[in-house]
Coordinates of all heavy atoms in Angstrom, one line a residue:
M1 N 0.9 -1.2 0.0 CA 0.0 0.0 0.0 C 0.9 1.2 0.0 O 1.9 1.3 0.7 CB -0.9 0.0 1.2 CG -2.2 0.6 1.0 SD -3.4 0.2 2.3 CE -3.0 1.6 3.4
A2 N 0.5 2.2 -0.7 CA 1.3 3.5 -0.8 C 1.3 4.2 0.5 O 0.3 4.1 1.3 CB 0.7 4.4 -1.9
D3 N 2.4 4.8 0.8 CA 2.5 5.6 2.0 C 1.4 6.7 2.0 O 1.2 7.3 0.9 CB 3.8 6.3 2.2 CG 4.9 5.3 2.5 OD1 4.5 4.1 2.7 OD2 6.1 5.6 2.6
N4 N 0.8 7.0 3.1 CA -0.2 8.0 3.2 C 0.1 9.0 4.2 O -0.4 9.1 5.3 CB -1.5 7.3 3.4 CG -2.7 8.3 3.2 OD1 -2.5 9.4 2.8 ND2 -3.9 7.9 3.6
W5 N 1.1 9.9 3.9 CA 1.5 10.9 4.8 C 0.5 12.1 4.6 O 0.3 12.6 3.5 CB 2.9 11.4 4.5 CG 4.0 10.4 4.9 CD1 4.6 9.5 4.1 CD2 4.5 10.2 6.2 NE1 5.5 8.8 4.8 CE2 5.5 9.2 6.1 CE3 4.3 10.8 7.4 CZ2 6.2 8.8 7.2 CZ3 5.1 10.4 8.5 CH2 6.0 9.4 8.4
T6 N 0.0 12.5 5.7 CA -1.0 13.6 5.7 C -0.5 14.8 6.6 O -0.1 14.5 7.7 CB -2.3 13.1 6.3 OG1 -2.7 11.9 5.5 CG2 -3.4 14.1 6.2
R7 N -0.6 16.0 6.0 CA -0.3 17.1 6.8 C -1.3 17.3 7.9 O -2.5 17.4 7.6 CB -0.2 18.4 6.0 CG 0.3 19.6 6.7 CD 0.0 20.9 6.0 NE 0.5 22.0 6.7 CZ -0.1 22.6 7.7 NH1 -1.3 22.1 8.1 NH2 0.4 23.6 8.4
V8 N -0.9 17.5 9.1 CA -1.8 17.6 10.3 C -1.7 18.9 11.0 O -2.6 19.4 11.7 CB -1.7 16.4 11.3 CG1 -2.3 15.2 10.7 CG2 -0.3 16.3 11.8
A9 N -0.5 19.5 10.9 CA -0.3 20.8 11.7 C 1.0 21.4 11.2 O 1.7 20.8 10.4 CB -0.2 20.5 13.2
A10 N 1.2 22.6 11.6 CA 2.5 23.3 11.4 C 3.4 23.0 12.6 O 2.9 22.8 13.7 CB 2.3 24.8 11.3
V11 N 4.7 22.8 12.3 CA 5.6 22.6 13.4 C 5.5 23.6 14.5 O 5.5 23.3 15.7 CB 7.1 22.6 12.8 CG1 8.1 22.6 13.9 CG2 7.3 21.5 11.9
A12 N 5.2 24.9 14.1 CA 5.1 25.9 15.1 C 3.9 25.8 16.0 O 3.7 26.5 17.0 CB 5.1 27.3 14.4
D13 N 2.9 25.0 15.6 CA 1.7 24.8 16.3 C 1.9 24.1 17.6 O 1.1 24.2 18.6 CB 0.6 24.0 15.5 CG 0.1 24.8 14.4 OD1 0.2 26.1 14.4 OD2 -0.5 24.2 13.5
V14 N 2.9 23.3 17.7 CA 3.1 22.4 18.9 C 4.4 22.8 19.6 O 5.5 22.4 19.2 CB 3.2 20.9 18.4 CG1 2.9 20.0 19.6 CG2 2.3 20.6 17.3
E15 N 4.2 23.5 20.6 CA 5.4 24.0 21.4 C 6.0 22.8 22.2 O 5.3 21.8 22.5 CB 5.0 25.0 22.4 CG 4.6 26.4 21.9 CD 4.0 27.3 22.9 OE1 4.5 27.3 24.0 OE2 3.0 27.9 22.6
E16 N 7.3 22.9 22.5 CA 8.0 21.9 23.3 C 7.3 21.7 24.6 O 6.8 22.7 25.2 CB 9.4 22.4 23.5 CG 10.2 21.6 24.5 CD 10.5 20.2 24.1 OE1 10.9 20.0 22.9 OE2 10.4 19.3 24.9
G17 N 7.1 20.5 24.9 CA 6.4 20.2 26.2 C 4.9 20.2 26.1 O 4.2 20.0 27.1
K18 N 4.3 20.4 24.9 CA 2.9 20.6 24.8 C 2.3 19.5 23.8 O 3.1 18.8 23.1 CB 2.5 21.9 24.2 CG 2.9 23.1 25.1 CD 1.8 23.5 25.9 CE 2.2 24.3 27.2 NZ 2.5 25.6 27.0
C19 N 1.0 19.4 23.8 CA 0.4 18.5 22.9 C -0.9 19.1 22.4 O -1.5 19.9 23.1 CB 0.2 17.2 23.6 SG -1.4 16.6 23.8
I20 N -1.2 18.8 21.1 CA -2.4 19.4 20.6 C -3.2 18.2 19.9 O -2.7 17.2 19.6 CB -2.2 20.5 19.5 CG1 -1.4 19.9 18.3 CG2 -1.4 21.6 20.0 CD1 -1.4 20.8 17.0
G21 N -4.5 18.5 19.8 CA -5.4 17.5 19.1 C -5.7 18.0 17.7 O -5.9 19.2 17.4
V22 N -5.6 17.0 16.7 CA -5.9 17.4 15.3 C -6.8 16.3 14.8 O -7.0 15.2 15.3 CB -4.6 17.4 14.5 CG1 -3.6 18.5 15.0 CG2 -3.9 16.1 14.4
K23 N -7.5 16.7 13.7 CA -8.3 15.7 12.9 C -7.5 15.3 11.7 O -7.0 16.2 11.0 CB -9.6 16.4 12.5 CG -10.6 16.6 13.6 CD -11.6 15.6 13.6 CE -12.7 15.8 14.6 NZ -13.4 14.6 15.1
A24 N -7.5 14.1 11.4 CA -6.9 13.6 10.2 C -7.9 12.6 9.6 O -8.0 11.5 10.1 CB -5.5 12.9 10.4
G25 N -8.6 13.1 8.5 CA -9.7 12.3 8.0 C -10.7 12.2 9.1 O -11.1 13.1 9.7
K26 N -11.1 10.9 9.5 CA -12.0 10.7 10.5 C -11.4 10.5 11.9 O -12.0 10.3 12.9 CB -12.9 9.5 10.2 CG -13.8 9.8 9.1 CD -14.8 8.6 8.9 CE -15.8 8.9 7.8 NZ -16.1 7.7 7.0
R27 N -10.1 10.5 11.9 CA -9.4 10.2 13.2 C -9.0 11.4 14.0 O -8.7 12.4 13.4 CB -8.1 9.4 12.8 CG -8.4 8.0 12.4 CD -7.1 7.3 12.1 NE -7.3 6.5 10.9 CZ -6.5 5.7 10.4 NH1 -5.3 5.5 10.9 NH2 -6.8 5.0 9.3
D28 N -9.1 11.2 15.3 CA -8.6 12.2 16.2 C -7.2 11.8 16.7 O -7.0 10.7 17.2 CB -9.5 12.3 17.4 CG -10.8 13.0 17.1 OD1 -10.8 14.3 17.0 OD2 -11.8 12.4 17.0
I29 N -6.3 12.7 16.4 CA -4.9 12.3 16.7 C -4.3 13.4 17.6 O -4.6 14.6 17.5 CB -4.1 12.2 15.4 CG1 -4.6 11.0 14.6 CG2 -2.6 12.0 15.7 CD1 -3.9 10.7 13.3
A30 N -3.5 12.9 18.6 CA -2.8 13.8 19.5 C -1.3 13.9 19.0 O -0.7 12.9 18.7 CB -2.8 13.3 20.9
I31 N -0.8 15.1 18.9 CA 0.5 15.4 18.5 C 1.3 15.9 19.7 O 0.8 16.9 20.3 CB 0.6 16.4 17.3 CG1 -0.4 16.1 16.2 CG2 2.0 16.6 16.8 CD1 0.0 15.0 15.4
Y32 N 2.4 15.3 20.0 CA 3.2 15.8 21.1 C 4.6 16.3 20.7 O 5.1 15.7 19.7 CB 3.5 14.6 22.1 CG 2.2 13.8 22.4 CD1 1.8 12.8 21.6 CD2 1.5 14.0 23.6 CE1 0.7 12.0 21.9 CE2 0.4 13.2 23.9 CZ 0.0 12.2 23.0 OH -1.1 11.5 23.4
H33 N 5.0 17.3 21.4 CA 6.4 17.8 21.2 C 7.2 17.6 22.5 O 6.8 18.2 23.5 CB 6.4 19.2 20.8 CG 7.7 19.8 20.3 ND1 7.8 21.1 19.8 CD2 8.9 19.2 20.2 CE1 9.0 21.3 19.4 NE2 9.7 20.2 19.7
M34 N 8.1 16.6 22.4 CA 8.7 16.2 23.7 C 10.2 16.1 23.4 O 10.6 15.3 22.5 CB 8.1 14.9 24.1 CG 8.6 14.4 25.4 SD 7.5 13.0 25.9 CE 8.0 11.7 24.9
D35 N 11.0 16.7 24.2 CA 12.5 16.6 24.1 C 13.0 16.8 22.7 O 13.8 16.1 22.2 CB 13.0 15.3 24.7 CG 12.6 15.1 26.1 OD1 12.5 16.1 26.8 OD2 12.4 13.9 26.5
G36 N 12.4 17.8 22.0 CA 12.8 18.1 20.7 C 12.3 17.2 19.5 O 12.7 17.4 18.4
A37 N 11.5 16.2 19.9 CA 11.0 15.3 18.9 C 9.4 15.4 18.9 O 8.8 15.8 19.9 CB 11.5 13.9 19.1
F38 N 8.8 14.9 17.8 CA 7.4 14.8 17.7 C 6.9 13.4 17.8 O 7.5 12.5 17.3 CB 6.9 15.5 16.4 CG 7.2 17.0 16.4 CD1 8.3 17.4 15.8 CD2 6.3 17.9 17.0 CE1 8.6 18.8 15.8 CE2 6.6 19.2 17.0 CZ 7.7 19.7 16.4
Y39 N 5.7 13.2 18.4 CA 5.1 11.9 18.5 C 3.6 12.0 18.2 O 3.1 13.1 18.4 CB 5.3 11.3 19.9 CG 6.8 11.2 20.3 CD1 7.4 12.2 20.9 CD2 7.5 10.1 19.9 CE1 8.8 12.1 21.2 CE2 8.8 10.0 20.2 CZ 9.5 11.0 20.8 OH 10.8 10.9 21.1
A40 N 3.0 11.0 17.8 CA 1.6 11.0 17.6 C 0.9 9.7 18.1 O 1.4 8.6 17.8 CB 1.3 11.2 16.1
T41 N -0.2 9.9 18.7 CA -1.1 8.8 19.2 C -2.5 9.1 18.9 O -2.9 10.2 18.6 CB -1.0 8.5 20.7 OG1 -1.6 9.6 21.4 CG2 0.5 8.4 21.2
D42 N -3.4 8.1 19.1 CA -4.8 8.3 19.1 C -5.1 9.4 20.1 O -4.4 9.4 21.2 CB -5.6 7.1 19.4 CG -5.8 6.2 18.2 OD1 -5.9 6.7 17.1 OD2 -6.0 5.0 18.5
N43 N -6.0 10.3 19.8 CA -6.3 11.3 20.8 C -7.4 10.9 21.8 O -7.6 11.5 22.8 CB -6.6 12.6 20.1 CG -6.6 13.8 21.1 OD1 -6.0 13.7 22.2 ND2 -7.2 14.9 20.6
I44 N -8.2 9.9 21.3 CA -9.3 9.5 22.2 C -8.8 8.4 23.1 O -8.2 7.4 22.7 CB -10.4 8.9 21.3 CG1 -10.7 9.8 20.2 CG2 -11.7 8.5 22.1 CD1 -12.0 10.4 20.0
C45 N -9.1 8.6 24.4 CA -8.7 7.6 25.4 C -9.2 6.2 25.1 O -10.3 6.1 24.6 CB -9.2 8.1 26.8 SG -8.5 7.1 28.1
S46 N -8.4 5.2 25.4 CA -8.9 3.8 25.1 C -9.9 3.3 26.2 O -10.4 2.2 26.1 CB -7.7 2.9 25.0 OG -7.0 2.8 26.2
H47 N -10.1 4.1 27.3 CA -11.0 3.7 28.3 C -12.4 4.1 28.0 O -13.3 3.3 27.7 CB -10.5 4.3 29.7 CG -11.4 4.0 30.8 ND1 -12.0 5.0 31.6 CD2 -11.9 2.8 31.2 CE1 -12.8 4.4 32.5 NE2 -12.7 3.1 32.3
E48 N -12.7 5.4 28.1 CA -14.0 5.9 27.6 C -13.7 7.1 26.7 O -12.7 7.1 26.1 CB -14.8 6.3 28.8 CG -15.4 5.1 29.6 CD -16.2 5.5 30.8 OE1 -16.5 6.7 31.0 OE2 -16.5 4.6 31.6
Y49 N -14.7 8.0 26.6 CA -14.4 9.1 25.7 C -13.9 10.3 26.3 O -14.6 11.0 27.1 CB -15.7 9.5 24.9 CG -15.4 10.5 23.8 CD1 -15.1 10.0 22.5 CD2 -15.4 11.8 24.1 CE1 -14.8 10.9 21.5 CE2 -15.1 12.7 23.0 CZ -14.8 12.2 21.8 OH -14.5 13.1 20.8
A50 N -12.6 10.6 26.1 CA -12.0 11.8 26.5 C -10.9 12.1 25.6 O -10.3 11.2 25.0 CB -11.5 11.7 27.9
L51 N -10.6 13.4 25.4 CA -9.5 13.8 24.5 C -8.2 13.9 25.3 O -8.1 14.8 26.2 CB -9.8 15.1 23.8 CG -10.9 15.1 22.8 CD1 -11.2 16.5 22.2 CD2 -10.7 14.1 21.7
L52 N -7.2 13.1 25.0 CA -6.0 13.1 25.7 C -5.2 14.5 25.6 O -4.5 14.8 26.5 CB -5.1 12.0 25.3 CG -5.7 10.6 25.5 CD1 -4.9 9.5 24.9 CD2 -5.8 10.4 27.0
S53 N -5.5 15.2 24.5 CA -4.8 16.4 24.3 C -5.3 17.5 25.3 O -4.7 18.5 25.5 CB -5.0 17.0 22.9 OG -6.4 17.0 22.6
E54 N -6.4 17.1 26.0 CA -6.8 18.0 27.1 C -6.3 17.6 28.5 O -6.6 18.1 29.5 CB -8.3 18.1 27.1 CG -8.8 18.8 25.9 CD -10.4 18.7 25.7 OE1 -11.0 18.2 26.6 OE2 -10.8 19.3 24.7
G55 N -5.4 16.5 28.4 CA -4.9 16.0 29.7 C -3.5 16.7 30.0 O -3.2 17.7 29.5
W56 N -2.7 15.9 30.7 CA -1.4 16.5 31.2 C -0.3 15.6 30.7 O -0.3 14.4 30.9 CB -1.4 16.5 32.7 CG -2.5 17.4 33.2 CD1 -2.4 18.8 33.4 CD2 -3.8 17.0 33.6 NE1 -3.6 19.3 33.8 CE2 -4.5 18.2 33.9 CE3 -4.5 15.8 33.6 CZ2 -5.9 18.2 34.3 CZ3 -5.9 15.8 34.0 CH2 -6.5 17.0 34.3
M57 N 0.7 16.3 30.2 CA 2.0 15.6 29.8 C 3.0 15.7 30.9 O 3.2 16.8 31.5 CB 2.6 16.4 28.6 CG 2.3 15.8 27.3 SD 2.9 16.9 26.0 CE 4.6 16.3 25.8
E58 N 3.5 14.5 31.3 CA 4.5 14.6 32.3 C 5.4 13.3 32.2 O 4.9 12.2 32.0 CB 3.8 14.5 33.7 CG 4.7 15.0 34.8 CD 4.0 15.0 36.1 OE1 3.6 13.9 36.6 OE2 3.9 16.1 36.7
K59 N 6.7 13.6 32.2 CA 7.7 12.5 32.2 C 7.4 11.4 31.1 O 7.4 10.2 31.4 CB 7.7 11.8 33.6 CG 8.2 12.7 34.7 CD 8.4 12.0 35.9 CE 8.8 12.9 37.1 NZ 7.9 12.9 38.2
G60 N 7.2 11.9 29.9 CA 7.0 11.0 28.8 C 5.6 10.3 28.7 O 5.4 9.4 27.9
C61 N 4.7 10.7 29.6 CA 3.4 10.1 29.6 C 2.3 11.2 29.4 O 2.6 12.4 29.6 CB 3.0 9.5 31.0 SG 4.2 8.2 31.5
I62 N 1.2 10.8 28.9 CA 0.0 11.6 28.8 C -1.0 11.1 29.8 O -1.2 9.9 29.8 CB -0.5 11.8 27.4 CG1 -1.7 12.7 27.3 CG2 -0.9 10.4 26.8 CD1 -1.4 14.2 27.4
E63 N -1.6 12.0 30.6 CA -2.6 11.5 31.6 C -3.9 12.0 31.1 O -4.2 13.2 30.8 CB -2.3 12.1 33.0 CG -3.3 11.7 34.0 CD -2.9 12.2 35.4 OE1 -1.7 12.1 35.8 OE2 -3.7 12.8 36.1
C64 N -4.9 11.0 31.1 CA -6.2 11.3 30.6 C -6.9 12.3 31.6 O -6.8 12.2 32.8 CB -7.0 10.0 30.6 SG -8.7 10.3 30.1
P65 N -7.6 13.3 31.0 CA -8.2 14.3 31.9 C -9.5 13.8 32.6 O -9.9 14.4 33.6 CB -8.6 15.4 30.9 CG -8.8 14.7 29.6 CD -7.8 13.6 29.6
L66 N -10.0 12.6 32.2 CA -11.2 12.1 32.8 C -11.0 11.2 34.0 O -11.5 11.5 35.1 CB -12.1 11.4 31.7 CG -13.6 11.3 32.0 CD1 -14.2 12.6 32.4 CD2 -14.3 10.7 30.8
H67 N -10.3 10.1 33.8 CA -10.1 9.2 35.0 C -8.6 9.0 35.2 O -8.3 8.0 35.9 CB -10.8 7.9 34.7 CG -12.2 8.0 34.3 ND1 -12.6 7.6 33.0 CD2 -13.3 8.4 35.0 CE1 -13.9 7.8 32.9 NE2 -14.4 8.3 34.1
A68 N -7.8 9.8 34.7 CA -6.3 9.9 35.0 C -5.5 8.6 34.6 O -4.5 8.4 35.2 CB -6.2 10.2 36.5
A69 N -6.0 7.8 33.7 CA -5.1 6.8 33.1 C -3.9 7.4 32.5 O -4.0 8.5 31.9 CB -5.9 5.9 32.1
Q70 N -2.8 6.7 32.5 CA -1.6 7.2 31.9 C -1.1 6.3 30.8 O -1.2 5.1 30.9 CB -0.5 7.4 32.9 CG -0.8 8.4 34.0 CD 0.4 8.7 34.8 OE1 1.3 7.9 35.0 NE2 0.5 9.9 35.4
F71 N -0.6 7.0 29.7 CA -0.1 6.3 28.6 C 1.3 6.8 28.2 O 1.6 7.9 28.4 CB -1.0 6.5 27.3 CG -2.4 6.1 27.5 CD1 -3.4 7.0 28.0 CD2 -2.9 4.8 27.2 CE1 -4.7 6.6 28.2 CE2 -4.2 4.4 27.3 CZ -5.1 5.3 27.8
D72 N 2.1 5.8 27.8 CA 3.4 6.2 27.3 C 3.3 6.9 25.9 O 2.7 6.3 25.0 CB 4.3 4.9 27.2 CG 5.7 5.2 26.8 OD1 6.0 5.8 25.7 OD2 6.6 4.9 27.6
I73 N 3.8 8.1 25.8 CA 3.6 8.9 24.6 C 4.4 8.2 23.4 O 3.9 8.2 22.3 CB 4.1 10.3 24.8 CG1 3.1 11.1 25.7 CG2 4.3 11.1 23.5 CD1 3.6 12.4 26.2
K74 N 5.5 7.6 23.7 CA 6.3 7.1 22.5 C 5.7 5.7 22.0 O 5.8 5.4 20.9 CB 7.7 6.8 23.0 CG 8.5 8.1 23.2 CD 9.9 7.8 23.5 CE 10.7 9.1 23.8 NZ 12.1 8.9 24.2
T75 N 5.2 4.9 23.0 CA 4.7 3.6 22.5 C 3.2 3.4 22.6 O 2.7 2.5 22.0 CB 5.3 2.5 23.5 OG1 4.7 2.8 24.8 CG2 6.8 2.6 23.6
G76 N 2.5 4.4 23.2 CA 1.0 4.3 23.3 C 0.6 3.3 24.4 O -0.6 3.1 24.6
K77 N 1.6 2.7 25.1 CA 1.2 1.7 26.1 C 0.4 2.3 27.3 O 0.7 3.3 27.8 CB 2.5 1.1 26.6 CG 2.3 -0.2 27.4 CD 3.7 -0.9 27.5 CE 3.5 -2.2 28.3 NZ 2.3 -2.9 28.0
A78 N -0.6 1.5 27.6 CA -1.4 1.9 28.8 C -0.7 1.5 30.0 O -0.3 0.4 30.2 CB -2.8 1.2 28.7
L79 N -0.4 2.5 30.9 CA 0.5 2.3 32.0 C -0.3 2.2 33.3 O 0.3 1.7 34.3 CB 1.5 3.4 32.1 CG 2.5 3.6 30.9 CD1 3.3 4.9 31.1 CD2 3.3 2.4 30.8
S80 N -1.5 2.7 33.4 CA -2.2 2.6 34.6 C -3.7 2.5 34.4 O -4.2 2.9 33.4 CB -1.9 3.9 35.5 OG -2.4 5.0 34.9
A81 N -4.4 2.0 35.4 CA -5.8 1.8 35.4 C -6.4 3.2 35.4 O -5.8 4.2 35.8 CB -6.3 1.1 36.6
P82 N -7.7 3.4 34.9 CA -8.5 2.3 34.4 C -8.4 1.9 33.0 O -9.1 1.0 32.5 CB -9.9 2.9 34.6 CG -9.7 4.4 34.4 CD -8.3 4.7 34.9
A83 N -7.4 2.4 32.3 CA -7.2 2.0 30.9 C -6.4 0.7 30.8 O -5.4 0.5 31.5 CB -6.5 3.1 30.1
D84 N -6.8 -0.3 30.0 CA -6.0 -1.5 29.8 C -5.7 -1.8 28.4 O -5.1 -2.8 28.0 CB -6.6 -2.7 30.5 CG -8.0 -3.0 30.1 OD1 -8.4 -2.3 29.1 OD2 -8.7 -3.7 30.7
T85 N -6.1 -0.9 27.5 CA -5.8 -1.0 26.1 C -4.9 0.1 25.6 O -5.1 1.2 25.9 CB -7.1 -0.9 25.3 OG1 -8.1 -1.9 25.8 CG2 -6.9 -1.2 23.8
D86 N -3.8 -0.4 24.9 CA -2.8 0.6 24.4 C -3.4 1.5 23.4 O -4.4 1.2 22.7 CB -1.6 -0.1 23.8 CG -0.9 -1.0 24.8 OD1 -1.2 -0.9 26.0 OD2 -0.1 -1.9 24.4
L87 N -2.8 2.7 23.2 CA -3.2 3.6 22.2 C -2.5 3.3 20.9 O -1.3 2.8 21.0 CB -2.8 5.1 22.5 CG -3.4 5.7 23.8 CD1 -2.7 7.0 24.0 CD2 -4.9 5.9 23.6
R88 N -3.1 3.5 19.8 CA -2.4 3.4 18.5 C -1.4 4.5 18.4 O -1.7 5.7 18.8 CB -3.4 3.4 17.4 CG -2.8 3.2 16.1 CD -3.9 2.8 15.1 NE -3.2 2.8 13.8 CZ -3.8 2.7 12.6 NH1 -5.1 2.6 12.6 NH2 -3.2 2.7 11.5
V89 N -0.2 4.2 17.9 CA 0.7 5.3 17.6 C 0.9 5.4 16.1 O 0.7 4.5 15.4 CB 2.1 5.1 18.3 CG1 2.0 5.1 19.8 CG2 2.7 3.7 17.9
Y90 N 1.3 6.6 15.7 CA 1.5 6.9 14.3 C 2.9 7.4 14.1 O 3.4 8.1 14.9 CB 0.5 8.0 13.8 CG -1.0 7.6 14.1 CD1 -1.6 7.8 15.3 CD2 -1.7 6.9 13.1 CE1 -2.9 7.4 15.5 CE2 -3.0 6.5 13.3 CZ -3.6 6.8 14.5 OH -4.9 6.4 14.7
E91 N 3.4 7.1 12.9 CA 4.7 7.8 12.5 C 4.4 9.2 12.2 O 3.4 9.6 11.6 CB 5.2 7.1 11.2 CG 5.9 5.7 11.5 CD 6.5 5.2 10.2 OE1 7.4 5.9 9.6 OE2 6.0 4.2 9.8
I92 N 5.4 10.1 12.6 CA 5.2 11.5 12.4 C 6.5 12.0 11.9 O 7.6 11.6 12.4 CB 4.7 12.2 13.6 CG1 4.4 13.7 13.4 CG2 5.5 12.0 14.8 CD1 3.6 14.4 14.4
K93 N 6.5 13.0 11.0 CA 7.8 13.7 10.6 C 7.5 15.1 10.3 O 6.4 15.5 10.0 CB 8.4 13.0 9.4 CG 7.5 13.1 8.1 CD 8.2 12.4 7.0 CE 7.4 12.5 5.7 NZ 7.9 11.7 4.6
A94 N 8.6 15.9 10.5 CA 8.5 17.3 10.1 C 9.1 17.4 8.8 O 10.1 16.8 8.4 CB 9.4 18.1 11.1
E95 N 8.4 18.2 7.9 CA 8.9 18.4 6.6 C 8.8 19.9 6.3 O 7.7 20.5 6.2 CB 8.1 17.7 5.6 CG 8.9 17.2 4.4 CD 8.1 16.2 3.5 OE1 7.2 16.6 2.8 OE2 8.3 15.0 3.6
G96 N 9.9 20.6 6.4 CA 9.9 22.1 6.3 C 9.1 22.6 7.5 O 9.4 22.2 8.7
A97 N 8.1 23.4 7.3 CA 7.3 23.9 8.4 C 6.1 23.1 8.8 O 5.3 23.5 9.6 CB 6.8 25.4 8.0
D98 N 6.0 21.9 8.1 CA 4.8 21.1 8.3 C 5.1 19.8 9.1 O 6.1 19.2 9.0 CB 4.2 20.7 6.9 CG 3.7 21.9 6.1 OD1 3.2 22.8 6.8 OD2 3.9 21.9 4.9
L99 N 4.0 19.4 9.8 CA 4.1 18.1 10.4 C 3.2 17.1 9.7 O 2.0 17.4 9.4 CB 3.6 18.2 11.9 CG 4.5 18.8 12.9 CD1 3.9 19.0 14.2 CD2 5.8 18.0 13.0
L100 N 3.7 16.0 9.4 CA 3.0 15.0 8.6 C 2.9 13.7 9.4 O 3.8 13.2 10.0 CB 3.7 14.6 7.3 CG 3.6 15.7 6.2 CD1 4.5 16.9 6.5 CD2 4.0 15.1 4.8
V101 N 1.7 13.1 9.3 CA 1.5 11.8 10.0 C 1.2 10.7 9.0 O 0.5 11.0 8.0 CB 0.3 12.0 11.0 CG1 -0.2 10.6 11.5 CG2 0.7 12.8 12.2
K102 N 1.7 9.6 9.2 CA 1.4 8.4 8.3 C 0.2 7.7 8.8 O 0.2 7.1 9.9 CB 2.6 7.5 8.3 CG 2.6 6.5 7.2 CD 3.9 5.8 7.2 CE 4.0 4.7 6.1 NZ 5.3 4.1 6.2
L103 N -0.8 7.7 7.9 CA -2.1 7.0 8.3 C -2.2 5.7 7.7 O -1.6 5.4 6.7 CB -3.3 7.9 7.9 CG -3.3 9.3 8.5 CD1 -4.5 10.1 8.0 CD2 -3.4 9.2 10.0
Ligands
FES201 S1 -11.7 8.1 29.7 FE1 -9.5 8.2 29.9 S2 -9.2 7.1 31.8 FE2 -11.3 7.1 31.6

């Protein structure tokens, strides 16, 4: 299958230490800027419905704003209850001023 890189944001939209939520087609994706690199995961919590981009980033994890489950930003791994399903992660790259995610 052909690569499907989709522009989701400008590099300047995601400050270091922050995360934003974007729509890519029908998907909600969270884009993180952490230690100089970018990461992307599903933005909808795997527990119930909450946007992780409205949660808190700390020590490489994102904490859900609703019931405080934590996920590893790099791997999507569910690290704490009540979530027990990992998040999907996406490849992301900066190209010039744009951020592209592979869907
Ligand atoms: S919705 Fe995220 S932990 Fe419950």
